Amino acid sequence: METDPLLVSPQENTSPCRGLDTSSCSNPDSGYYGGTLRSRRFSRTATESAACNMIQQDDGDLYMQQATVFIEDAVQYRSINHRVDSKSLRLYRWYYSKICQWGLGATIFVILAVAFIEKPSSLTVTSDVRYRMAPWEPPCGLTESIEIVCFLIFVADVAVKSYLIGWEEFRKNKWLIAYIFVIAFSMLDWMVSLGLHCEEALRVRRLLRPFFLLQNSSLMKKTLKCIKRSLPEIISVMLLLAVHLCLFTMFGMLLFARGKDSNGNAEWQAYFRNLPDSLTSLLVLLTTANNPDVMIPAYSKNRFYCIFFILFCGFGTYFLMNLLTAIIYNQFRGYLLISIQTSLLRRRLGIRAAFEVMCCQGQSMAGINEHVETVNTEMVLKILQGVHIKPFYKEAIIQKTQQCTDGSISANQFQKLFDELDKDTIKQYPPKPDYQHVFLQKLQFIFSHHYFSVAGNVVALANMVCICTALVIDADKAVSERYDYFLGAINCFFIVYYLLEMILKIFAFGFKGYVSHRSNIFDGFVTVVLLCLQITIFATYSFPHPRWDPDVKAFMSLWEMVRLVNMLIVFRFLRIIPNIKLMALVASTLLDLVKNLRAFAGILVVVYYVFAVLGIMLFEGVITAPGNMSAVVNSSAPNTTVNYTATCGTYEQLEYWPNNFDDFAAALVLLYNIMVVNNWQAFMDAFSRYSTPWSKLYFVAWWLTSSVMWVNLFVALILENFIHKWDRIHHSSISDEDQAECQMTVQSMFREFLKEPTEEELLSKLEQHPHLNIKR
């Protein structure tokens, strides 16, 4: 029945400035869709008109509810193809209310977090197999009770979604069908767990939990579609990379073959002993994790052997890997623009649908069969009062509506009313206190001037230099030899200055004006915390003096308190960022990227979760404590053991014992360490010795998924976002001060590249709506 999926996440949208544009009211015939707005007549059958009148008689507020919901759909970029009867609209608004959506998000968080407390539990101080105590294991039925509550909430969720989109659309929606199957299979596996008294060897439902996070975000689903579209090009580069690796492996095995002279076989012995070792050595070299270790034995024998390794890294690491980044960037370059274009169409369509519904109400009230082309201003104002949007958006739209003095609004004018959704207010600061005395006015001018903040930054820099000097002087001294008087004295001086600066700024700007600046809130909060810590030091250890050498009198020593104070002072030094234009631009861009890349971070969470659970299933308990190192099982001969001495660079010699798959938290940390690819060959080697050589496939799969695929994906998306924002800001006519106070989302960045949908497109979409029954 519905033509577009309903499950769309709301997106925030702001732009650098706000102003009321009265052109939409003064020029009602101006074209909004790329051309002159032309009158359209919508023909309805007699049955449809009778049904429309009957509905109005049964529920006079139905049109108001429909228009309100369509406007909310437009604001949140949701599809309008859902049921529009009175009961369904009430259910729809309840489902998309903040309480309901926050509750659903909390349920997903809980079902994912269960992995930290269920067996094997992560509730231990350390994951090191040498020191880890037996963890607390939840009793059978505790985590299962949490799971069944979450499953019941998911059942209610899928039932509501299925009802709202209708049976015909449900059959076409693969995500909802998969949602039902995942819930059913998880509940079946849950019943098996209870039947076996929680002693089952495998819980398959743990692998399926990330699906609940994935299906709840349309942006994540769009990301997966984009990855699917990019797979052919990515696979082609992967194949070329595999050919490159295999060819150089063959060359390496021939070049470093075992010779008669045992003293010249160091390269063969360490890295090219057999085909698996050769492939692993060069694969790790592709990530530069074992460079130059892998080259040293051969290079020590003959300097010309370095040519082999340089050619391998030059073509593989610096050409093919960067080519992969370029391909991913090229495939995702238009992703955001296409997504935003779709969101723009949803917004325009929702607004036009609300207008047509109000026209239908006007037609019914007038008792005519012809479609009216305008709506009453009072009706629009009444509907806007019930719309759930941000207050300053609602206020701006209402104010713009009230400027339409002729009492009626056309479709073009109605669309332009909601242009206010694409604008954001430039923050207005409270007025400064009005002092009558001339001397106070001069002081206010001095302490509110920009140079006063610059002077504060200079003092903060001097504070940093003093801390660095003290750290350098005391770096090699024992704790008992440190002279705490110097740090204590300079901390007192600078904290007093920070407090005085805060008081003077409050005097100049007033309290409301002071807290209206985010930098001042940050500054004041850190200053108050520093003052409290310094008072605590005074109360515990008295005032600093030249022979100040106090003993520990509290839960923290003097040195620990001083270190905490110094860390906060270093943290406070971040106040300089807004005052340096380029640094502020980069920092604000990074903050915007965090907001706009949440979907991709969510995908990474899903991948981490699946690989962590899979790693626990495969490798839980395989790493044994060092006390058993004399008998490491040889996986190629299960009934034999071999003596093993920890050699340099191995898992045991580097003491990587906390990195294991014995619980969920430890698995996440281990996967992160592998994603960074520093010494990841040590993990592959250890798990291949403790379990099976085939375990290398798991680690290579994780490296390809995380380090190759997702890191390059993030780099590509960061480049696209940063380039567009950089160009937009440098070509914008907005002042630097306004830019510092404005936030820019992806929608506003791409505004100039978006194409407004034509009137024909909107009318065609409305005619296909399964419940409005609008026809030309």
Side-chain angles (χ1 to χ4, degrees), residues 644-687:
Y644 180 79
T645 302
T647 57
C648 183
T650 60
Y651 181 94
E652 295 83 4
Q653 187 271 330
L654 295 171
E655 296 189 344
Y656 284 171
W657 303 108
N659 293 279
N660 51 64
F661 286 101
D662 291 351
D663 60 72
F664 187 74
L668 292 177
V669 175
L670 176 54
L671 290 176
Y672 170 77
N673 290 333
I674 297 173
M675 186 179 74
V676 177
V677 300
N678 185 36
N679 275 347
W680 71 295
Q681 72 277 10
F683 301 116
M684 278 201 302
D685 172 68
F687 281 92

Side-chain angles (χ1 to χ4, degrees), residues 304-570:
F304 291 102
Y305 280 133
C306 70
I307 298 176
F308 170 83
F309 298 99
I310 292 174
L311 289 176
F312 176 80
C313 287
F315 186 75
T317 305
Y318 299 108
F319 178 73
L320 290 181
M321 297 299 289
N322 289 323
L323 178 62
L324 185 64
T325 302
I327 289 175
I328 294 177
Y329 173 74
N330 182 66
Q331 290 297 317
F332 277 82
R333 184 173 56 185
Y335 163 72
L336 290 176
L337 183 60
I338 294 173
S339 176
I340 296 165
Q341 185 69 56
T342 303
S343 299
L344 179 66
L345 176 61
R346 285 199 179 105
R347 171 163 288 182
R348 299 292 183 246
L349 189 61
I351 295 171
R352 186 57 184 264
F355 178 81
E356 293 300 330
V357 167
M358 287 187 287
C359 288
C360 182
Q361 182 180 13
Q363 173 188 342
S364 300
M365 293 174 63
I368 58 177
N369 292 326
E370 293 185 358
H371 179 65
V372 297
E373 302 294 338
T374 60
V375 295
N376 187 273
T377 304
E378 296 298 328
M379 184 190 305
V380 175
L381 291 173
K382 185 177 180 181
I383 289 175
L384 289 175
Q385 293 295 336
V387 176
H388 293 158
I389 57 177
K390 293 182 179 180
F392 58 86
Y393 284 148
K394 180 185 291 188
E395 181 182 353
I397 296 173
I398 290 176
Q399 185 176 354
K400 195 172 181 181
T401 304
Q402 291 172 343
Q403 293 177 356
C404 298
T405 57
D406 57 354
S408 61
I409 300 176
S410 66
N412 184 36
Q413 291 174 309
F414 192 70
Q415 285 281 4
K416 285 191 174 183
L417 290 177
F418 293 90
D419 285 349
E420 297 299 320
L421 296 173
D422 297 329
K423 301 176 183 179
D424 192 14
T425 54
I426 297 176
K427 191 170 184 179
Q428 300 294 328
Y429 298 106
K432 298 178 182 178
D434 187 15
Y435 296 108
Q436 302 297 325
H437 199 281
V438 177
F439 178 72
L440 294 179
Q441 292 176 355
K442 291 182 178 180
L443 289 179
Q444 183 183 37
F445 173 78
I446 294 173
F447 298 133
S448 63
H449 199 277
H450 172 68
Y451 287 140
F452 184 69
S453 297
V454 173
N457 293 335
V458 172
V459 173
L461 179 61
N463 195 177
M464 292 286 293
V465 172
C466 293
I467 292 175
C468 291
T469 303
L471 291 176
V472 171
I473 294 174
D474 295 337
D476 297 326
K477 293 182 179 179
V479 176
S480 59
E481 299 176 353
R482 291 188 180 123
Y483 190 44
D484 295 324
Y485 171 71
F486 176 71
L487 271 180
I490 62 173
N491 284 344
C492 288
F493 170 78
F494 285 110
I495 291 174
V496 169
Y497 175 83
Y498 297 150
L499 179 62
L500 181 62
E501 181 188 23
M502 182 180 70
I503 294 173
L504 292 176
K505 283 188 175 181
I506 294 176
F507 162 77
F509 294 102
F511 181 77
K512 291 184 178 179
Y514 179 82
V515 298
S516 64
H517 295 264
R518 294 180 180 178
S519 59
N520 288 340
I521 296 176
F522 170 79
D523 228 7
F525 175 76
V526 177
T527 300
V528 170
V529 174
L530 284 172
L531 181 63
C532 293
L533 282 173
Q534 196 63 43
I535 293 175
T536 304
I537 292 175
F538 291 160
T540 307
Y541 298 103
S542 74
F543 289 89
H545 50 81
R547 295 183 180 181
W548 197 37
D549 189 20
D551 296 326
V552 177
K553 297 181 180 179
F555 66 96
M556 292 179 66
S557 66
L558 173 64
W559 173 240
E560 290 173 339
M561 286 190 175
V562 170
R563 280 194 303 167
L564 182 57
V565 168
N566 290 335
M567 284 189 288
L568 287 173
I569 291 174
V570 173

